[in-house]
Amino acid sequence: QVQLVESGGGLVQPGGSLRLSCAASGSIFSIAAMGWYRQAPGKQREWVATRTSGGNTLYASSVRGRFTISRDNAKNMVYLQMNSLKSEDTAVYYCHVRSGNGDYWGQGTQVTVSS
């Protein structure tokens, strides 16, 4: 059984920063990529960032230059450093893993950007 557990969400003022963490555990075979998605109220879930096992990083245009994704392969963890946060970044953020035995999702962590 595979588990993804996110942490680090919360309330932050515009212009502030947050760091999300995701710990993957269980029988995950051959992780190809780890990343983050988000879903704002009334909107579809959208992709935010991905880091592949080969070290490539990809970002949605809306967060490029403000967010940084990183991984600790040895610990099966992925992080999302979010700087210069805007109100439109408010959403539930989900960790995602693509592996040899399927795709997995975390339960989500709420990020609220508001003054």
Side-chain angles (χ1 to χ4, degrees):
Q1 188 173 359
V2 174
Q3 265 196 321
L4 302 181
V5 179
E6 301 104 332
S7 59
L11 173 64
V12 64
Q13 292 187 342
S17 298
L18 280 176
R19 186 185 191 226
L20 305 183
S21 300
C22 173
S25 62
S27 301
I28 302 178
F29 172 72
S30 185
I31 292 179
M34 299 182 76
W36 295 90
Y37 287 68
R38 66 186 182 186
Q39 187 166 19
K43 295 187 177 181
Q44 290 188 328
R45 189 174 297 189
E46 64 173 2
W47 168 70
V48 175
T50 296
R51 185 171 176 93
T52 69
S53 293
N56 294 320
T57 55
L58 303 166
Y59 297 96
S61 58
S62 58
V63 306
R64 191 177 297 121
R66 299 187 298 121
F67 290 11
T68 302
I69 188 170
S70 59
R71 278 179 63 177
D72 185 331
N73 290 335
K75 296 181 179 179
N76 280 345
M77 292 198 67
V78 64
Y79 308 94
L80 188 67
Q81 177 66 43
M82 305 185 294
N83 298 329
S84 302
L85 283 161
K86 306 174 182 179
S87 58
E88 51 262 45
D89 295 317
T90 294
V92 178
Y93 284 70
Y94 296 91
C95 177
H96 172 256
V97 168
R98 177 157 295 164
S99 74
N101 51 334
D103 285 18
Y104 300 96
W105 295 90
Q107 81 289 349
T109 185
Q110 177 70 47
V111 171
T112 302
V113 184
S114 175
S115 55

